[in-house]
Amino acid sequence: MESFNAVGTMLLHNSRADESGGFFATCWFMVLLPVVPLGRYYVRQTGYREDGGLLFHRATTGYEIVGRSRIRWTEVVRTYLACWIVMPGALVGPIVVALGREGDNAGLHGGLVSGGLVIALLTLFVVYRTYWRPVREVHWADTTAGRADGRNWQELATTLQIAILMGLLGFFAGVVIFFTALAMGSSRRPSNPSRTRTPIRCSTP
């Protein structure tokens, strides 16, 4: 799993490590925040490396994928709520409310409240990840009797999710291009060049 400038794939842990060091994690397609879940795995972390410079940051995490599991949509919904609603709301909400009030230091007070909420949420997340997150027991599927393990269906679901994401990105790009062209067209006023009219003389026989 690799991300470059906050764009790429990343495993987000769903459970604490068990006695063997394995844990469940969901692979996400990331654009700064989790966008689409691509799969859920039972893995062991084998390494982590960061390469950085002035204009880029690359983070590479090594995993040993032991098994593949079905996506748990409760974990997906919890990830969406935490990354797209709770954290942005705690970061932006107090500032917006403070700016709506009268006062010289309203923005400063809103920023302090926002920073305090973000720090409290991050602390709670670390405590949850370290102590409260459950350790899920592994139940291996029996595939010796010729039963499908669901891999083909999950690969199809992954393909559909990526296709839906690309369709949405194409739709929004088309909307932006359309309104940009509309704005540029409206800014250009049509010119009416003056035409010299030549009078026509009719002679009566």
Side-chain angles (χ1 to χ4, degrees), residues 138-150:
V138 179
H139 300 282
W140 297 106
D142 183 12
T143 58
T144 58
R147 294 185 300 176
D149 59 354

Side-chain angles (χ1 to χ4, degrees), residues 71-182:
I71 294 178
R72 292 174 62 96
W73 294 106
T74 54
E75 296 171 348
V76 172
V77 172
R78 185 165 61 243
T79 302
Y80 279 134
L81 290 176
C83 296
W84 287 92
I85 296 179
V86 177
M87 290 299 293
L91 182 62
V92 180
I95 299 177
V96 174
V97 173
L99 291 178
R101 297 182 178 179
E102 296 180 356
D104 297 335
N105 297 324
L108 177 61
H109 294 163
L112 292 176
V113 173
S114 176
L117 284 177
V118 170
I119 293 175
L121 288 175
L122 290 177
T123 303
L124 183 63
F125 173 75
V126 171
V127 172
Y128 171 77
R129 179 176 178 177
T130 306
Y131 300 104
W132 298 340
R133 179 177 292 175
V135 178
R136 300 194 181 277
E137 186 178 356
V138 179
H139 300 282
W140 297 106
D142 183 12
T143 58
T144 58
R147 294 185 300 176
D149 59 354
R151 185 174 302 174
N152 294 332
W153 290 105
Q154 195 162 17
E155 291 177 354
L156 177 61
T158 300
T159 304
L160 290 176
Q161 289 169 345
I162 296 176
I164 292 172
L165 175 64
M166 298 303 296
L168 290 174
L169 292 177
F171 171 76
F172 287 118
V175 170
V176 171
I177 293 173
F178 172 76
F179 282 104
T180 302
L182 189 64

